Amino acid sequence: MKFSQSVAALVATAAMASAAPVAKRQASAITDAVILNYALTLEHLEDKFYREGLANYTEADFAAAGFDSTFYANLKEISADEMTHVAFLTAGLTAAGAVPVAECVYDFGVSDPKSFVALASVLEGVGVSAYLGAAADIMSAAYLTDAASILTVESRHSSYIRASLAESPFPAPFDTPLDFDEVYTLAAPFIVSCPASNPTLPVKAFPSLSLGTTGTIVSGETITLSTPGYTIQGSSPLYAAFITVTGPIFGAATPVDGGYTVVVPAGVNGQSYVVLTSCNEVVTDDTVVAGPAIVEITNPLP
């Protein structure tokens, strides 16, 4: 992948803001340099995930778990792609005079090749949504092309791994964009610690939200969203918002012991994201109460 002239032209003196609502952030807070470091944070995580998994599990281990030699070879190629993305983004920040974030310490919680591949599918899906969500904030048209060239490769990774898990490789006609804080909320549980020298990014993690329902999930089904280790205070009603490219789809969130039940709406499929929000008209960092939770929805294809 060639280094774009636009990356070298990034403004290195990006002003870092404290965590504040995305809709209200000053334009100077989210610059191309900030987005580049945000992307590098995610690429470091993916790069380490694949390197660690391939170091921990051999080709024979994957074969015993039902993944053939072709899949193993393609995993190594995916790992090489993520390593290249790290080098590319690091070079871009350095050329711009900015300080690139370094690799953190992670705990992925995988215990065998099957759980490794399952998490790989989730991480690739989140990566696609992260690049898609950041696209609207990229100022440079040429840099947008650079980011899009990574996005399309991440999408291929996602489709390939989903197919290898006997899931639809392209379950919906549109991918789902996630904003900076939504993505960081999903990434933060894997991050144990980061170097103190890493630049501070204007992101925050919302309280975690997890899926408490097992088995195949389809639209119209009632599922449980768990709030692990905490209780949401207050008497105001909450809503479940399933995030889509055309806007959130809202539904009632009914309190139950340890979380909330919600009905999966029509119009979502595949790896989907739902937040709990205090508003049923718009989703912003001011209205999100918890989440996103990841929900794999498997509706019959047309």
Side-chain angles (χ1 to χ4, degrees):
M1 184 181 296
K2 284 195 172 183
F3 180 79
S4 169
Q5 293 295 323
S6 64
V7 178
L10 291 177
V11 177
T13 55
M16 297 296 180
S18 60
V22 167
K24 296 182 179 179
R25 284 178 181 146
Q26 297 297 316
S28 60
I30 302 296
T31 66
D32 286 355
V34 170
I35 294 172
L36 199 65
N37 248 330
Y38 162 78
L40 180 55
T41 299
L42 302 178
E43 294 292 351
H44 273 309
L45 187 150
E46 288 186 303
D47 175 34
K48 179 62 174 179
F49 171 75
Y50 284 108
R51 285 189 288 112
E52 188 174 284
L54 290 169
N56 289 340
Y57 307 116
T58 65
E59 182 175 354
D61 293 330
F62 280 100
F67 301 103
D68 62 17
S69 59
T70 299
F71 179 81
Y72 181 76
N74 285 331
L75 269 187
K76 292 195 291 184
E77 185 171 349
I78 291 173
S79 179
D81 287 345
E82 304 300 356
M83 190 179 302
T84 300
H85 293 166
V86 167
F88 174 71
L89 294 169
T90 299
L93 282 158
T94 301
V99 177
V101 294
E103 183 180 285
C104 298
V105 175
Y106 310 97
D107 183 358
F108 297 108
V110 298
S111 56
D112 52 42
K114 285 187 176 181
S115 62
F116 172 81
V117 176
L119 183 54
S121 180
V122 169
L123 293 180
E124 293 291 352
V126 171
V128 170
S129 292
Y131 276 99
L132 187 59
D137 288 308
I138 295 175
M139 301 298 292
S140 163
Y143 177 45
L144 179 59
T145 300
D146 295 330
S149 71
I150 296 178
L151 165 60
T152 55
V153 172
E154 298 289 358
S155 183
R156 291 188 188 97
H157 294 170
S158 176
S159 293
Y160 177 75
I161 295 174
R162 286 182 62 86
S164 299
L165 292 171
E167 297 173 342
S168 172
F170 27 80
F174 302 100
D175 284 319
T176 301
L178 294 176
D179 74 18
F180 299 98
D181 290 344
E182 290 163 348
V183 172
Y184 186 68
T185 299
L186 295 172
F190 302 112
I191 301 174
V192 177
S193 63
C194 293
S197 58
N198 273 6
T200 301
L201 298 179
V203 294
K204 66 177 181 181
F206 298 117
S208 62
L209 190 66
S210 60
L211 179 64
T213 300
T214 58
T216 302
I217 295 172
V218 297
S219 294
E221 181 177 348
T222 298
I223 61 173
T224 299
L225 300 177
S226 301
T227 53
Y230 71 97
T231 301
I232 297 174
Q233 303 297 323
S235 57
S236 299
L238 294 181
Y239 307 92
F242 284 80
I243 301 167
T244 76
V245 71
T246 55
I249 303 174
F250 294 95
T254 304
V256 295
D257 186 29
Y260 295 80
T261 59
V262 304
V263 176
V264 178
V268 289
N269 203 38
Q271 183 165 310
S272 305
Y273 308 94
V274 56
V275 296
L276 293 179
T277 175
S278 59
C279 175
N280 63 353
E281 296 180 352
V282 66
V283 174
T284 70
D285 285 7
D286 280 333
T287 66
V288 171
V289 176
I294 297 176
V295 183
E296 178 66 32
I297 301 169
T298 311
N299 290 316
L301 296 177

